[in-house]
Amino acid sequence: MTRFGRIAVYVTLLAASAVTIVPLLYMLTLSLQTEGETLSGEAVLLPETPQWGNYVTLFEEAPFGNFIINSLVVAGGITLAHLVFDPMIGYVFAKFDFPLKNTIFVAILATLMIPLFVRMIPLYVMMSNLGWLNSYQALILPFVMDGFGIFLMRQFIQPIPDDLLDAGRVDGASEFAVYRRVVLPQVKPALAVLGLFTFVFQWNEFLWPLVATTTEDMRTIPVGLTLFNQEHFTLWHLTAAGSVIMFVPTALILVFAQRYFVRGIALTGLK
Amino acid sequence: MALKTAVRERSPRPPQPAPRRPKGGTLQARRARTAYLFLTPALLFFALFFYMPIADIVNTSMHSGPQADRFSGLGNYVDAFGDPSVRNSFSVTLIFAVGTTVGAIVLGLALALLVNRPLRGRTLIRLALLVPYLTSVAVVGLLWRNILDPQLGILNRMLTEFGLPTQAWLNTDPLATIILVTLWQIAGYTMILFLAGLQGIPEVYYEAATIDGANQWQQFWRITLPLLAPTTLFVSVMAVISGLQAFGQAYIITNGGPADATDLYVFHVFEVAFRSRDFGYSSALSVLLLFVIIAFTAVQLRAGRRGEVQY
């Protein structure tokens, strides 16, 4: 690369990064402005005095504590369920032979083609009939497994040598013990990828929590933010403060598990 | 394996005690039983939360009335084809899906080519470009609604500062605007996918091409682009499917407006279902979109298969 080319590449990439990062930084300064500043009609880049109190007011003006707990329970619960079920079922498809194996596997993979909006109305009716709207089970249950997680785990478990599993069986370990003591430790990195992805995407999920909750106290953060914003149309500083709080877990994951994350995305692209 | 068995069969069998039958049948049967035991939760889950809802929505789509209890056959589907609001929302969604897909491919590939070079700090740059993708569509929508606001928004303020004309973005070009916002969110993701594709291309191809005197441009068109075909296919299938399902942009940024200009299909279905409480009609609309998505995927995959033959 010529020197000029190198500089051009740098400038382009820095400009592109600025385009993605600056709006998010603006969200941060917006969260520190007074209500007056957000409405002044003159966009404020930096608040006169940072209003850290916005982060307290937020909890007074809306059940934001509830939103956080709900989001943690829902995204955390779904992630936990994936970590329990996906490797177990992936293991069965990787290492067992049984009647109808291929049919069942195809039936599970086919669900990847079924988007959430197709399930949205029937699931809503189902939850409503069960009296489960506004409940954690309604928010969690429809997502505790998916075809992708099972497929991913199967791909990782397949290369584990059968001899290793048989050695465990010969030693008298039960099938479950073989799975837990031999298989699971072998796929820890894959579990990390699966867990991080599931958590971040469920944390950000918007459509289903919007449909399945009707009372304010059961909203997750993304739904809480928007409904809050529509009712009090003008409270931009609080909306921004909530958005910043919402971004904290994602930021932490990015800082501490950035490698896993980028690799994980690349992995999903390899099919 | 076959040989070994044959040898063993020929050797005289030593006298053996009657083989002890393990409890619960042959090994194979026991293993199958274990498999099904492990599988039970999955079978229940996929039946209850995927296949039953599908049967349910197909059934509901053939009913009408406020309780969706009056059988109307294909009536809802016939209505949908004649419904101008459905047609509008379908064409809006098609433009949105195609726009975001083409944009995501072009931007993602361009960014991937740039960050694939040995540059200092490229990990950090990749991460910076990826961050919006990991942000909820709710946050992205609210943030951009604020930034684009004609009175309060910082975008117009910046344009004024540079002496450029300001715009009421969400009034003059609402669809293009939400396409751009979506590209802002997803371009980093397609960049990572293309990056993985690029790193899968063996370096020797480029070395050989360089020896043959091919310049960078020729190398891009003759080596990089053809070998990225599978990645491009994956990205385009993925982007079209998620484009057709977009919801938050309309719900949060524009509320479908102005005058239905951004009435994305899933948002339209959501409104018919939960605002008008018409579950029969909205179910039919959902099923129609499912067919469109399946058709799109099939066409793209077939095009991809045909493409692969050439290399």
Side-chain angles (χ1 to χ4, degrees):
Chain A
M1 214 182 335
T2 62
R3 189 169 184 178
F4 176 75
R6 201 175 191 53
I7 292 171
V9 168
Y10 261 116
V11 170
T12 315
L13 282 176
L14 287 178
S17 311
V19 170
T20 56
I21 293 301
V22 169
L24 292 169
L25 289 177
Y26 177 64
M27 183 169 86
L28 189 64
T29 90
L30 197 60
S31 77
L32 297 174
Q33 298 178 17
T34 62
E35 191 178 347
E37 280 172 317
T38 65
L39 299 176
S40 61
E42 277 228 353
V44 177
L45 271 184
L46 284 174
E48 199 98 329
T49 35
Q51 304 292 313
W52 299 104
N54 288 347
Y55 284 85
V56 180
T57 316
L58 182 65
F59 288 82
E60 291 159 1
E61 294 282 316
F64 205 80
N66 277 28
F67 298 167
I68 294 178
I69 293 169
N70 296 340
S71 272
L72 283 174
V73 171
V74 172
I78 292 171
T79 306
L80 216 67
H82 272 264
L83 292 178
V84 169
F85 289 121
D86 291 355
M88 197 166 98
I89 293 148
Y91 170 55
V92 173
F93 285 113
K95 294 296 183 191
F96 282 76
D97 267 319
F98 50 92
L100 294 179
K101 177 177 169 175
N102 283 333
T103 315
I104 297 174
F105 191 58
V106 169
I108 289 179
L109 278 193
T111 61
L112 284 173
M113 297 268 293
I114 302 166
L116 176 59
F117 73 81
V118 179
R119 303 194 287 148
M120 173 175 84
I121 295 166
L123 283 179
Y124 172 84
V125 174
M126 178 200 283
M127 295 305 169
S128 165
N129 288 341
L130 290 168
W132 280 3
L133 292 177
N134 295 312
S135 72
Y136 286 137
Q137 60 269 34
L139 290 170
I140 292 173
L141 275 180
F143 300 96
V144 295
M145 288 177 222
D146 64 33
F148 178 72
I150 289 169
F151 180 73
L152 188 77
M153 295 318 298
R154 188 192 80 135
Q155 296 300 90
F156 276 95
I157 291 170
Q158 227 154 22
I160 299 175
D162 288 334
D163 292 345
L164 204 61
L165 310 180
D166 287 336
R169 291 185 182 117
V170 169
D171 288 348
S174 69
E175 283 298 334
F176 188 75
V178 169
Y179 164 70
R180 208 175 62 85
R181 304 251 178 85
V182 183
V183 176
L184 273 191
Q186 298 277 332
V187 292
K188 268 188 198 154
L191 285 175
V193 169
L194 179 69
L196 293 173
F197 268 78
T198 311
F199 184 83
V200 170
F201 287 102
Q202 291 303 330
W203 181 258
N204 289 337
E205 171 61 32
F206 179 58
L207 179 55
W208 180 245
L210 177 73
V211 169
T213 62
T214 52
T215 61
E216 196 167 280
D217 60 318
M218 277 308 292
R219 287 167 194 166
T220 57
I221 306 177
V223 182
L225 278 177
T226 55
L227 296 189
F228 174 76
N229 188 261
Q230 281 178 341
E231 285 156 23
H232 316 269
F233 180 67
T234 48
L235 302 180
W236 280 112
H237 55 312
L238 299 187
T239 306
S243 303
V244 172
I245 293 176
M246 166 134 196
F247 189 66
V248 169
T250 313
L252 288 177
I253 287 175
L254 274 181
V255 169
F256 291 111
Q258 170 257 121
R259 245 164 236 278
Y260 276 132
F261 226 92
V262 174
R263 206 178 301 152
I265 290 180
L267 206 74
T268 61
L270 298 175
K271 285 185 276 184
Chain B
M1 193 65 175
L3 189 71
K4 243 189 216 165
T5 325
V7 171
R8 195 178 296 156
E9 267 168 8
R10 226 176 292 140
S11 60
R13 285 188 108 193
Q16 277 179 335
R20 191 168 53 92
R21 270 254 149 142
K23 240 196 287 172
T26 62
L27 181 67
Q28 211 178 7
R30 265 186 306 149
R31 305 259 300 148
R33 206 165 329 128
T34 314
Y36 271 104
L37 196 69
F38 276 47
L39 266 185
T40 309
L43 294 177
L44 279 175
F45 171 79
F46 286 101
L48 272 176
F49 294 109
F50 280 88
Y51 287 102
M52 238 173 62
I54 291 196
D56 199 26
I57 200 167
V58 171
N59 180 38
T60 312
S61 75
M62 291 188 284
H63 288 75
S64 51
Q67 302 296 319
D69 51 3
R70 193 156 41 77
F71 183 77
S72 58
L74 295 178
N76 284 325
Y77 293 92
V78 175
D79 288 351
F81 283 103
D83 185 341
S85 74
V86 170
R87 286 192 199 177
N88 167 68
S89 122
F90 182 69
S91 65
V92 163
T93 307
L94 209 57
I95 296 170
F96 179 88
V98 172
T100 51
T101 302
V102 172
I105 288 176
V106 172
L107 280 174
L109 179 57
L111 290 170
L113 288 168
L114 292 175
V115 295
N116 195 29
R117 291 158 189 267
L119 297 168
R120 213 172 298 158
R122 67 177 177 178
T123 317
L124 216 60
I125 292 176
R126 284 177 196 174
L127 215 55
L129 293 168
L130 184 62
V131 169
Y133 178 65
L134 304 173
T135 313
S136 176
V137 70
V139 169
V140 170
L142 288 166
L143 175 62
W144 280 94
R145 208 177 84 197
N146 182 284
I147 292 175
L148 295 166
D149 190 289
Q151 273 89 47
L152 311 173
I154 196 158
L155 189 61
N156 276 347
R157 151 93 184 261
M158 274 159 72
L159 290 177
T160 323
E161 215 112 294
F162 290 110
L164 294 166
T166 63
Q167 251 213 70
W169 304 93
L170 292 168
N171 280 316
T172 47
D173 245 326
L175 190 52
T177 307
I178 62 168
I179 288 175
L180 285 175
V181 170
T182 306
L183 285 175
W184 177 81
Q185 188 175 13
I186 65 172
Y189 170 64
T190 54
M191 171 194 77
I192 300 283
L193 294 179
F194 276 116
L195 199 58
L198 283 176
Q199 288 171 353
I201 301 176
E203 196 59 39
V204 286
Y205 290 4
Y206 295 105
E207 284 160 15
T210 311
I211 292 169
D212 289 346
N215 65 31
Q216 292 228 328
W217 203 234
Q218 287 168 324
Q219 292 185 15
F220 173 74
W221 286 105
R222 300 280 173 81
I223 300 174
T224 313
L225 214 51
L227 288 176
L228 276 182
T231 312
T232 313
L233 177 71
F234 175 77
V235 171
S236 66
V237 172
M238 186 277 309
V240 166
I241 292 176
S242 66
L244 291 173
Q245 295 176 57
F247 168 78
Q249 291 85 343
Y251 184 88
I252 297 164
I253 307 180
T254 59
N255 201 25
D260 287 344
T262 59
D263 191 28
L264 293 176
Y265 198 91
V266 175
F267 176 70
H268 189 76
V269 174
F270 174 88
E271 297 244 285
V272 174
F274 298 108
R275 300 239 163 101
S276 313
R277 311 295 294 182
D278 190 343
F279 286 132
Y281 195 42
S282 55
S283 293
L285 295 182
S286 299
V287 174
L288 282 176
L289 183 57
L290 180 65
F291 279 126
V292 171
I293 286 184
I294 290 173
F296 254 103
T297 317
V299 168
Q300 276 169 315
L301 291 180
R302 175 158 302 178
R305 210 167 296 143
R306 193 173 306 146
E308 266 168 35
V309 177
Q310 291 173 0
Y311 313 120

